[in-house]
């Protein structure tokens, strides 16, 4: 059955079940360097070997992403996806070399 097909159960149409993002995998976010601006790195989220698409499969919100420390990106499922998945990432000072 394709993603958009509707299954008929006991004479009633059943929409396909949505996939929980908690079962997906988020690629590690690289270190971000402090510059006084909010950091909004892109996410790479895969499920079953398929790369999900921002604003079609999920939306992202960020918290604690302006200052030095650990920030959080939360992807919330939309469309065929439901639930949330969180990825933490560090914000640090760039060392002079």
């Amino acid at each position: 059955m394709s993603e958009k097909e509707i299954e008929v159960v006991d004479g009633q149409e059943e929409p396909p079940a949505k996939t929980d993002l908690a079962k997906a995998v988020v690629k590690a976010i690289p270190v971000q360097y402090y510059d006084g601006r909010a950091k909004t790195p892109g996410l790479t989220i895969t499920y079953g070997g398929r790369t999900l698409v921002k604003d079609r499969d999920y939306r992202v919100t960020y918290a604690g992403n302006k200052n030095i420390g650990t920030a959080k990106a939360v992807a919330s499922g939309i469309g065929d996806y439901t639930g949330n998945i969180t990825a933490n990432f560090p914000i640090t000072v760039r060392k002079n070399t």
Side-chain angles (χ1 to χ4, degrees):
M1 182 179 333
S2 74
E3 288 183 52
K4 300 298 179 190
E5 289 181 7
I6 295 177
E7 184 177 354
V8 177
V9 177
D10 295 328
Q12 299 292 319
E13 289 186 0
E14 294 286 328
K18 292 189 176 203
T19 302
D20 187 353
L21 274 187
K23 297 176 183 176
V25 175
V26 180
K27 184 177 177 182
I29 300 171
V31 171
Q32 304 293 300
Y33 293 103
Y34 176 78
D35 62 7
R37 294 181 291 196
K39 301 299 173 189
T40 57
L43 299 181
T44 301
I45 303 175
T46 56
Y47 181 83
R50 180 174 162 255
T51 300
L52 305 186
V53 178
K54 182 181 173 195
D55 296 325
R56 182 188 74 194
D57 300 321
Y58 66 92
R59 290 195 177 100
V60 182
T61 57
Y62 296 89
N65 61 327
K66 188 173 180 180
N67 296 312
I68 294 168
T70 300
K72 177 168 57 172
V74 179
S76 300
I78 57 175
D80 293 334
Y81 296 86
T82 187
N84 300 310
I85 191 165
T86 300
N88 294 322
F89 60 95
I91 300 174
T92 189
V93 174
R94 185 180 302 269
K95 295 183 180 184
N96 293 330
T97 55

